[in-house]
Amino acid sequence: MLPVVTENLVHDYVTRDEEGNAAEAKRALDHVNLEVEEGQFIVVLGANGSGKSTLAKHINALLLPSEGRVLTCNMDTADDDFLWEIRRNAGMVFQNPDNQIVASVVEEDVGFGPENLGVPTEEILTRVAQSLAAVGMEKYRESSPNKLSGGQKQRVAIAGILAMQPKCILLDEPTAMLDPSGRKDVLETLVCLNKEKGITVILITHYMEEVINADRVFVMNAGRIVMQGTPREIFARSEELRQYRLEVPQVTELALMLANRGIPMPASVLTPEEFAEEYRKLAGVSSENDPAPALSEKPSERNDEPILSLRDVSYVYGEKTAYRTVAVDKVNLDIFRGEYIGLIGHTGSGKSTLIQMLNGLEQASSGTVLFDGEDIFGEGYDRRKLRSNVGLVFQYPDHQLFETTILRDVCFGPRNQGLTEEEAKERAAWALRLVGVDESRWQASPLELSGGQKRRVAIAGVLAMKPQVLVLDEPTAGLDPAGRDEILAEIDRIRRETGMTVILVSHRMEDVARYADRLIVINDGQIRFAAPPREVFRHREELTDIGLEVPQVTQVMQILAADGIVPPSDAIIPEEAAEILAACVK
Amino acid sequence: MLKNVTIGQYYPVDSIIHRLDPRTKIVGTLLYIVSLFLFRTFSGFIVVGTVFAGILILSKVPFRYLLRGLKPILFILVFTMICNFFLADGEVLWQWKFLKLTKEGIQRGFFMGIRLALLVFGTSIMTYTTTPNSLTDGLERLMSPLRVIHFPVHELAMMMSIALRFIPILAEEAQRISKAQMARGADMESGGLIRRAKAMVPILIPLLISSFRRAFDLATAMEARCYHGGKGRTKMKPLRYGLRDLFGYLFLACYMTTIILLRMFRNI
């Protein structure tokens, strides 16, 4: 039996006018033909808006076909009699962990599905225990979901589906809102369910790292399935993937760069180890005397005058209670004018608290924060003015967009600064042009924008105050690969044009390797490293210990250098690594 | 701003009162409230007070927690007492123009004050010993006869438990949103009432939009997990009366009989 078959599936989202007549139809799925075999691990890849979520909702009978048909476990989704049987057999996990957990206690949430199915009490209890064990969450049986991390919540959601004993689990971008360690946990859970319990997994994602485990990959673009095959087959066609706003893993890209120089590297390597293996066949052993290759240093805009200084800064939550937590622990740090800083740390490392102290949104429990040499919590210090000097863009643009038009929304900051309507508009126009939002869209509602565009408007909303320091909290979270690269390039351009100091918070090393002058790695509220990326990445083991990974390119170079195949180098971006590797091929 | 919102005030220890069925506790609390209004003299307090003290000891909830529950109604309590002090007729102890303090007034003031305090204490014991979720469950079961007149008992209970789950999430989100707007220079600390109300708009709109999105997501997720109302649904943790609940109800019956008899024959 095939768990999922779609035949010429078409879906149109129809917008209706006030009289209820169809005014506009947007085709989200365009003749999709898909067959999933039992027990497979399937990945559906696609950029934002490619139609992949719509497809998942069809398999679960949450949407019904405009044309064609969908068979889930041999049942036609259009047949009302099968509705609950389909949803039981093809359980679905969604993107936002908070918005799918119903109960206030973990075990009660896992029991929610079986309760709905009318399973007898005794059996519900056994199923709940088994499902929680299968995702490794039995310890949290009686916890409140609010106390769990994102990754743990997603595992609870998966357990909630398992308790319905499905044949197939559909996951709609389950890791998009998680940090790397949460993402890893969820993925490992899925692989284990697939291998050990034989459950068919259909994972929808735009993270390439998650594709490697798949038996079969479908790539979607503009509502169509445009590529299908094994991960190796798919990644060998990296040019095509790029067209669909996707990417290949960094090592695959590196292999391709070498192949383009006429070096016979196979285009389908997927991991740093595989890359090193293949490369060994091509290169001899380098002689001890080979000089370390010179890498071009990027010119820094930084000067020696610190703009922000932290002196022995600590932040303690819940002082004098049982929940006392030290979020930031005696941090000393100078940030220099014109510097581009990458602030790295996983969730709960204290990085969010740290950046909120830079503009006085949170007050340090002890120690001082100086802006331009002045104590920001000194008496009579104007902290509202500080906030326009140290502009902070939070992670979710939806938390700040509220006006009827984009232009008015961006004017909010300048107006709060006390500028006239004219001046505020001028500033807003400047900021919107700077982030690349086209003038034709300025009168549109900010709520109608795509994820990447919303992000741009949110950044413009802070830029319009003309800050001297721009702090961005994970500006690329949830964006597809192309959207992510575009935003990062945009930020770099803004910095070069304005000379602003930039602090970029991220948990992706690849994001910061290319642009940052200096990386600050924070763990358990303390600064572990504060140095240029090349120096920080030399400490691969220490970074792994605190749950952070150096870019794949660096991993490859370190493996090969340890084997004596290439001279030791601090290459951290693919272009420079390709240069060195090409030179070493005899 | 909303950091300290906690729903309910469950005091997590294990006691016989904690283990009682929520229905027993709800019914008990209702009867206790009725009993408070049955008598008219101070001697009645001795009966109620003794019973109350016994339950408090059994529940292992510290008395200072109960006092804490009194704080929000302190103003009403004091106000009620003072009104009674000055508004009763009787033996005048002190007079200033039309204000007169009477002996009966002082008596009645204290009587009302103690009654109000015992009322709050009684309901607090219920909320301290019962999680909001089992309270919801208990209410659902107690109200289930109303289904006959098409009262949406199950839906109401489901709404209550979802609200309990989402209030802390939305409270945290409100805080994040207000920080995002403060980072854009929003001023929420100064100005008059109207200015402050206006300053709330940039927070309320994103919060509202987000709530709608959450509601939509949750509805989809519940549907995907085969939720289709209360019909044909089983319970993972069905409420079951135990022996201790039988004792509970027997005790309640004795208590109410005693109070009524005392009221009839001794006129307490």
Side-chain angles (χ1 to χ4, degrees), chain A residues 515-545:
Chain A
Y515 298 114
D517 299 320
R518 192 152 63 114
L519 286 194
I520 291 167
V521 178
I522 182 164
N523 187 50
D524 281 340
Q526 289 176 327
I527 293 181
R528 295 289 292 270
F529 300 102
R534 292 188 201 291
E535 282 173 42
V536 173
F537 292 161
R538 281 178 209 151
H539 304 271
R540 182 175 162 196
E541 274 167 32
E542 287 104 311
L543 289 170
T544 314
D545 281 347

mmCIF file of all heavy atoms in Angstrom, chain A residues 515-545:
data_model
loop_
_atom_site.group_PDB
_atom_site.id
_atom_site.type_symbol
_atom_site.label_atom_id
_atom_site.label_comp_id
_atom_site.label_asym_id
_atom_site.label_seq_id
_atom_site.Cartn_x
_atom_site.Cartn_y
_atom_site.Cartn_z
ATOM 1 N N TYR A 515 31.158 38.005 6.881
ATOM 2 C CA TYR A 515 31.066 39.455 7.019
ATOM 3 C C TYR A 515 31.684 40.042 8.289
ATOM 4 O O TYR A 515 32.120 41.180 8.295
ATOM 5 C CB TYR A 515 29.603 39.894 6.960
ATOM 6 C CG TYR A 515 28.923 39.562 5.652
ATOM 7 C CD1 TYR A 515 27.890 38.642 5.588
ATOM 8 C CD2 TYR A 515 29.332 40.194 4.475
ATOM 9 C CE1 TYR A 515 27.262 38.345 4.382
ATOM 10 C CE2 TYR A 515 28.706 39.895 3.266
ATOM 11 C CZ TYR A 515 27.678 38.969 3.234
ATOM 12 O OH TYR A 515 27.070 38.682 2.052
ATOM 13 N N ALA A 516 31.683 39.277 9.397
ATOM 14 C CA ALA A 516 32.027 39.905 10.677
ATOM 15 C C ALA A 516 33.524 40.174 10.814
ATOM 16 O O ALA A 516 34.359 39.408 10.355
ATOM 17 C CB ALA A 516 31.561 39.021 11.816
ATOM 18 N N ASP A 517 33.861 41.316 11.460
ATOM 19 C CA ASP A 517 35.247 41.610 11.796
ATOM 20 C C ASP A 517 35.672 40.798 12.999
ATOM 21 O O ASP A 517 36.807 40.418 13.158
ATOM 22 C CB ASP A 517 35.418 43.087 12.197
ATOM 23 C CG ASP A 517 35.043 44.016 11.073
ATOM 24 O OD1 ASP A 517 35.384 43.695 9.929
ATOM 25 O OD2 ASP A 517 34.401 45.042 11.340
ATOM 26 N N ARG A 518 34.688 40.616 13.899
ATOM 27 C CA ARG A 518 35.034 39.989 15.164
ATOM 28 C C ARG A 518 33.844 39.149 15.610
ATOM 29 O O ARG A 518 32.697 39.549 15.436
ATOM 30 C CB ARG A 518 35.307 41.077 16.205
ATOM 31 C CG ARG A 518 35.956 40.591 17.465
ATOM 32 C CD ARG A 518 36.789 41.690 18.105
ATOM 33 N NE ARG A 518 35.987 42.817 18.517
ATOM 34 C CZ ARG A 518 35.802 43.185 19.798
ATOM 35 N NH1 ARG A 518 36.373 42.513 20.768
ATOM 36 N NH2 ARG A 518 35.071 44.228 20.081
ATOM 37 N N LEU A 519 34.130 37.984 16.153
ATOM 38 C CA LEU A 519 33.071 37.132 16.684
ATOM 39 C C LEU A 519 33.122 37.177 18.193
ATOM 40 O O LEU A 519 34.198 37.138 18.786
ATOM 41 C CB LEU A 519 33.287 35.669 16.280
ATOM 42 C CG LEU A 519 33.007 35.248 14.865
ATOM 43 C CD1 LEU A 519 32.963 33.728 14.802
ATOM 44 C CD2 LEU A 519 31.684 35.819 14.404
ATOM 45 N N ILE A 520 31.953 37.246 18.789
ATOM 46 C CA ILE A 520 31.892 37.117 20.232
ATOM 47 C C ILE A 520 31.043 35.897 20.523
ATOM 48 O O ILE A 520 29.882 35.833 20.143
ATOM 49 C CB ILE A 520 31.315 38.383 20.866
ATOM 50 C CG1 ILE A 520 32.340 39.499 20.672
ATOM 51 C CG2 ILE A 520 31.018 38.167 22.343
ATOM 52 C CD1 ILE A 520 31.832 40.855 20.950
ATOM 53 N N VAL A 521 31.668 34.892 21.138
ATOM 54 C CA VAL A 521 30.952 33.662 21.426
ATOM 55 C C VAL A 521 30.583 33.675 22.899
ATOM 56 O O VAL A 521 31.442 33.862 23.759
ATOM 57 C CB VAL A 521 31.816 32.423 21.116
ATOM 58 C CG1 VAL A 521 31.064 31.148 21.475
ATOM 59 C CG2 VAL A 521 32.207 32.424 19.654
ATOM 60 N N ILE A 522 29.294 33.528 23.161
ATOM 61 C CA ILE A 522 28.845 33.605 24.545
ATOM 62 C C ILE A 522 28.196 32.283 24.936
ATOM 63 O O ILE A 522 27.494 31.657 24.148
ATOM 64 C CB ILE A 522 27.912 34.832 24.729
ATOM 65 C CG1 ILE A 522 27.454 34.977 26.169
ATOM 66 C CG2 ILE A 522 26.727 34.786 23.808
ATOM 67 C CD1 ILE A 522 26.877 36.339 26.451
ATOM 68 N N ASN A 523 28.515 31.841 26.147
ATOM 69 C CA ASN A 523 27.953 30.591 26.648
ATOM 70 C C ASN A 523 27.763 30.719 28.150
ATOM 71 O O ASN A 523 28.639 31.235 28.842
ATOM 72 C CB ASN A 523 28.898 29.425 26.331
ATOM 73 C CG ASN A 523 28.263 28.100 26.677
ATOM 74 O OD1 ASN A 523 27.134 27.828 26.283
ATOM 75 N ND2 ASN A 523 28.973 27.287 27.424
ATOM 76 N N ASP A 524 26.625 30.267 28.651
ATOM 77 C CA ASP A 524 26.331 30.370 30.089
ATOM 78 C C ASP A 524 26.560 31.770 30.627
ATOM 79 O O ASP A 524 27.084 31.943 31.732
ATOM 80 C CB ASP A 524 27.205 29.387 30.885
ATOM 81 C CG ASP A 524 26.643 27.983 30.808
ATOM 82 O OD1 ASP A 524 25.446 27.851 30.492
ATOM 83 O OD2 ASP A 524 27.395 27.027 31.056
ATOM 84 N N GLY A 525 26.242 32.777 29.863
ATOM 85 C CA GLY A 525 26.355 34.150 30.330
ATOM 86 C C GLY A 525 27.759 34.713 30.327
ATOM 87 O O GLY A 525 27.983 35.828 30.785
ATOM 88 N N GLN A 526 28.724 33.927 29.833
ATOM 89 C CA GLN A 526 30.093 34.437 29.818
ATOM 90 C C GLN A 526 30.643 34.463 28.408
ATOM 91 O O GLN A 526 30.276 33.650 27.571
ATOM 92 C CB GLN A 526 30.988 33.534 30.677
ATOM 93 C CG GLN A 526 30.686 33.687 32.147
ATOM 94 C CD GLN A 526 31.484 32.733 32.999
ATOM 95 O OE1 GLN A 526 31.774 31.614 32.583
ATOM 96 N NE2 GLN A 526 31.826 33.185 34.191
ATOM 97 N N ILE A 527 31.570 35.401 28.178
ATOM 98 C CA ILE A 527 32.197 35.463 26.869
ATOM 99 C C ILE A 527 33.290 34.413 26.795
ATOM 100 O O ILE A 527 34.207 34.399 27.609
ATOM 101 C CB ILE A 527 32.766 36.872 26.597
ATOM 102 C CG1 ILE A 527 31.602 37.851 26.480
ATOM 103 C CG2 ILE A 527 33.613 36.875 25.337
ATOM 104 C CD1 ILE A 527 32.008 39.252 26.187
ATOM 105 N N ARG A 528 33.157 33.498 25.829
ATOM 106 C CA ARG A 528 34.165 32.444 25.692
ATOM 107 C C ARG A 528 35.248 32.852 24.711
ATOM 108 O O ARG A 528 36.415 32.562 24.898
ATOM 109 C CB ARG A 528 33.501 31.141 25.237
ATOM 110 C CG ARG A 528 32.556 30.579 26.263
ATOM 111 C CD ARG A 528 33.323 30.038 27.456
ATOM 112 N NE ARG A 528 34.094 28.849 27.075
ATOM 113 C CZ ARG A 528 33.623 27.610 27.152
ATOM 114 N NH1 ARG A 528 32.407 27.400 27.603
ATOM 115 N NH2 ARG A 528 34.363 26.590 26.792
ATOM 116 N N PHE A 529 34.849 33.489 23.638
ATOM 117 C CA PHE A 529 35.818 33.955 22.652
ATOM 118 C C PHE A 529 35.402 35.329 22.187
ATOM 119 O O PHE A 529 34.220 35.608 22.054
ATOM 120 C CB PHE A 529 35.860 33.035 21.427
ATOM 121 C CG PHE A 529 36.248 31.628 21.740
ATOM 122 C CD1 PHE A 529 35.286 30.638 21.821
ATOM 123 C CD2 PHE A 529 37.577 31.292 21.968
ATOM 124 C CE1 PHE A 529 35.628 29.334 22.121
ATOM 125 C CE2 PHE A 529 37.932 29.990 22.271
ATOM 126 C CZ PHE A 529 36.962 29.008 22.344
ATOM 127 N N ALA A 530 36.381 36.191 21.941
ATOM 128 C CA ALA A 530 36.114 37.481 21.317
ATOM 129 C C ALA A 530 37.306 37.767 20.430
ATOM 130 O O ALA A 530 38.322 38.279 20.899
ATOM 131 C CB ALA A 530 35.926 38.560 22.372
ATOM 132 N N ALA A 531 37.210 37.373 19.179
ATOM 133 C CA ALA A 531 38.342 37.491 18.268
ATOM 134 C C ALA A 531 37.826 37.423 16.834
ATOM 135 O O ALA A 531 36.672 37.076 16.612
ATOM 136 C CB ALA A 531 39.322 36.352 18.525
ATOM 137 N N PRO A 532 38.686 37.746 15.854
ATOM 138 C CA PRO A 532 38.255 37.598 14.462
ATOM 139 C C PRO A 532 37.850 36.152 14.178
ATOM 140 O O PRO A 532 38.387 35.235 14.808
ATOM 141 C CB PRO A 532 39.514 37.967 13.659
ATOM 142 C CG PRO A 532 40.300 38.839 14.566
ATOM 143 C CD PRO A 532 40.031 38.343 15.949
ATOM 144 N N PRO A 533 36.904 35.941 13.235
ATOM 145 C CA PRO A 533 36.380 34.594 12.969
ATOM 146 C C PRO A 533 37.479 33.551 12.762
ATOM 147 O O PRO A 533 37.383 32.450 13.303
ATOM 148 C CB PRO A 533 35.565 34.775 11.683
ATOM 149 C CG PRO A 533 35.199 36.203 11.643
ATOM 150 C CD PRO A 533 36.246 36.950 12.411
ATOM 151 N N ARG A 534 38.525 33.912 11.998
ATOM 152 C CA ARG A 534 39.573 32.919 11.728
ATOM 153 C C ARG A 534 40.168 32.369 13.014
ATOM 154 O O ARG A 534 40.440 31.177 13.112
ATOM 155 C CB ARG A 534 40.723 33.565 10.935
ATOM 156 C CG ARG A 534 40.345 33.962 9.537
ATOM 157 C CD ARG A 534 41.574 34.392 8.771
ATOM 158 N NE ARG A 534 41.216 35.237 7.629
ATOM 159 C CZ ARG A 534 40.583 34.790 6.556
ATOM 160 N NH1 ARG A 534 40.237 33.525 6.469
ATOM 161 N NH2 ARG A 534 40.275 35.616 5.576
ATOM 162 N N GLU A 535 40.384 33.270 13.977
ATOM 163 C CA GLU A 535 40.983 32.813 15.231
ATOM 164 C C GLU A 535 40.000 31.972 16.031
ATOM 165 O O GLU A 535 40.370 30.945 16.593
ATOM 166 C CB GLU A 535 41.431 34.014 16.078
ATOM 167 C CG GLU A 535 42.725 34.622 15.589
ATOM 168 C CD GLU A 535 43.057 35.906 16.317
ATOM 169 O OE1 GLU A 535 42.879 35.942 17.552
ATOM 170 O OE2 GLU A 535 43.466 36.872 15.656
ATOM 171 N N VAL A 536 38.749 32.415 16.063
ATOM 172 C CA VAL A 536 37.752 31.684 16.851
ATOM 173 C C VAL A 536 37.574 30.273 16.310
ATOM 174 O O VAL A 536 37.511 29.307 17.073
ATOM 175 C CB VAL A 536 36.405 32.435 16.857
ATOM 176 C CG1 VAL A 536 35.329 31.600 17.535
ATOM 177 C CG2 VAL A 536 36.553 33.773 17.561
ATOM 178 N N PHE A 537 37.546 30.128 14.981
ATOM 179 C CA PHE A 537 37.277 28.813 14.390
ATOM 180 C C PHE A 537 38.411 27.824 14.613
ATOM 181 O O PHE A 537 38.260 26.631 14.375
ATOM 182 C CB PHE A 537 36.971 28.949 12.892
ATOM 183 C CG PHE A 537 35.667 29.651 12.621
ATOM 184 C CD1 PHE A 537 35.407 30.214 11.383
ATOM 185 C CD2 PHE A 537 34.707 29.751 13.606
ATOM 186 C CE1 PHE A 537 34.210 30.863 11.136
ATOM 187 C CE2 PHE A 537 33.504 30.398 13.371
ATOM 188 C CZ PHE A 537 33.259 30.963 12.124
ATOM 189 N N ARG A 538 39.592 28.314 15.050
ATOM 190 C CA ARG A 538 40.659 27.374 15.370
ATOM 191 C C ARG A 538 40.299 26.515 16.562
ATOM 192 O O ARG A 538 40.835 25.442 16.746
ATOM 193 C CB ARG A 538 41.947 28.145 15.708
ATOM 194 C CG ARG A 538 42.683 28.633 14.483
ATOM 195 C CD ARG A 538 43.917 29.429 14.880
ATOM 196 N NE ARG A 538 44.214 30.417 13.862
ATOM 197 C CZ ARG A 538 44.812 31.567 14.103
ATOM 198 N NH1 ARG A 538 45.166 31.879 15.337
ATOM 199 N NH2 ARG A 538 45.045 32.396 13.121
ATOM 200 N N HIS A 539 39.362 27.029 17.392
ATOM 201 C CA HIS A 539 39.005 26.295 18.610
ATOM 202 C C HIS A 539 37.799 25.408 18.359
ATOM 203 O O HIS A 539 36.784 25.501 19.023
ATOM 204 C CB HIS A 539 38.693 27.276 19.740
ATOM 205 C CG HIS A 539 39.806 28.225 20.007
ATOM 206 N ND1 HIS A 539 40.805 27.946 20.887
ATOM 207 C CD2 HIS A 539 40.075 29.447 19.489
ATOM 208 C CE1 HIS A 539 41.654 28.954 20.907
ATOM 209 N NE2 HIS A 539 41.241 29.870 20.070
ATOM 210 N N ARG A 540 37.937 24.522 17.383
ATOM 211 C CA ARG A 540 36.793 23.739 16.962
ATOM 212 C C ARG A 540 36.230 22.882 18.091
ATOM 213 O O ARG A 540 35.019 22.794 18.279
ATOM 214 C CB ARG A 540 37.208 22.857 15.787
ATOM 215 C CG ARG A 540 36.089 22.036 15.247
ATOM 216 C CD ARG A 540 36.528 21.279 14.028
ATOM 217 N NE ARG A 540 35.614 20.188 13.768
ATOM 218 C CZ ARG A 540 35.910 19.185 12.957
ATOM 219 N NH1 ARG A 540 37.065 19.145 12.357
ATOM 220 N NH2 ARG A 540 35.032 18.235 12.754
ATOM 221 N N GLU A 541 37.127 22.266 18.849
ATOM 222 C CA GLU A 541 36.642 21.360 19.887
ATOM 223 C C GLU A 541 35.902 22.084 20.996
ATOM 224 O O GLU A 541 34.843 21.641 21.439
ATOM 225 C CB GLU A 541 37.794 20.552 20.473
ATOM 226 C CG GLU A 541 38.042 19.304 19.646
ATOM 227 C CD GLU A 541 39.354 18.641 19.980
ATOM 228 O OE1 GLU A 541 39.773 18.713 21.148
ATOM 229 O OE2 GLU A 541 39.954 18.067 19.056
ATOM 230 N N GLU A 542 36.460 23.201 21.429
ATOM 231 C CA GLU A 542 35.788 23.971 22.482
ATOM 232 C C GLU A 542 34.417 24.427 22.001
ATOM 233 O O GLU A 542 33.448 24.425 22.761
ATOM 234 C CB GLU A 542 36.606 25.211 22.882
ATOM 235 C CG GLU A 542 37.846 24.889 23.692
ATOM 236 C CD GLU A 542 39.105 24.994 22.856
ATOM 237 O OE1 GLU A 542 39.118 24.406 21.741
ATOM 238 O OE2 GLU A 542 40.064 25.649 23.293
ATOM 239 N N LEU A 543 34.333 24.804 20.735
ATOM 240 C CA LEU A 543 33.051 25.251 20.190
ATOM 241 C C LEU A 543 32.046 24.101 20.160
ATOM 242 O O LEU A 543 30.886 24.266 20.514
ATOM 243 C CB LEU A 543 33.236 25.825 18.789
ATOM 244 C CG LEU A 543 33.958 27.174 18.728
ATOM 245 C CD1 LEU A 543 34.304 27.529 17.296
ATOM 246 C CD2 LEU A 543 33.098 28.272 19.340
ATOM 247 N N THR A 544 32.524 22.926 19.743
ATOM 248 C CA THR A 544 31.634 21.759 19.705
ATOM 249 C C THR A 544 31.109 21.453 21.106
ATOM 250 O O THR A 544 29.946 21.116 21.293
ATOM 251 C CB THR A 544 32.379 20.531 19.144
ATOM 252 O OG1 THR A 544 33.089 20.951 17.981
ATOM 253 C CG2 THR A 544 31.416 19.429 18.768
ATOM 254 N N ASP A 545 32.005 21.597 22.098
ATOM 255 C CA ASP A 545 31.594 21.343 23.484
ATOM 256 C C ASP A 545 30.411 22.193 23.908
ATOM 257 O O ASP A 545 29.594 21.766 24.706
ATOM 258 C CB ASP A 545 32.761 21.617 24.446
ATOM 259 C CG ASP A 545 33.744 20.465 24.447
ATOM 260 O OD1 ASP A 545 33.386 19.396 23.914
ATOM 261 O OD2 ASP A 545 34.862 20.639 24.968
#
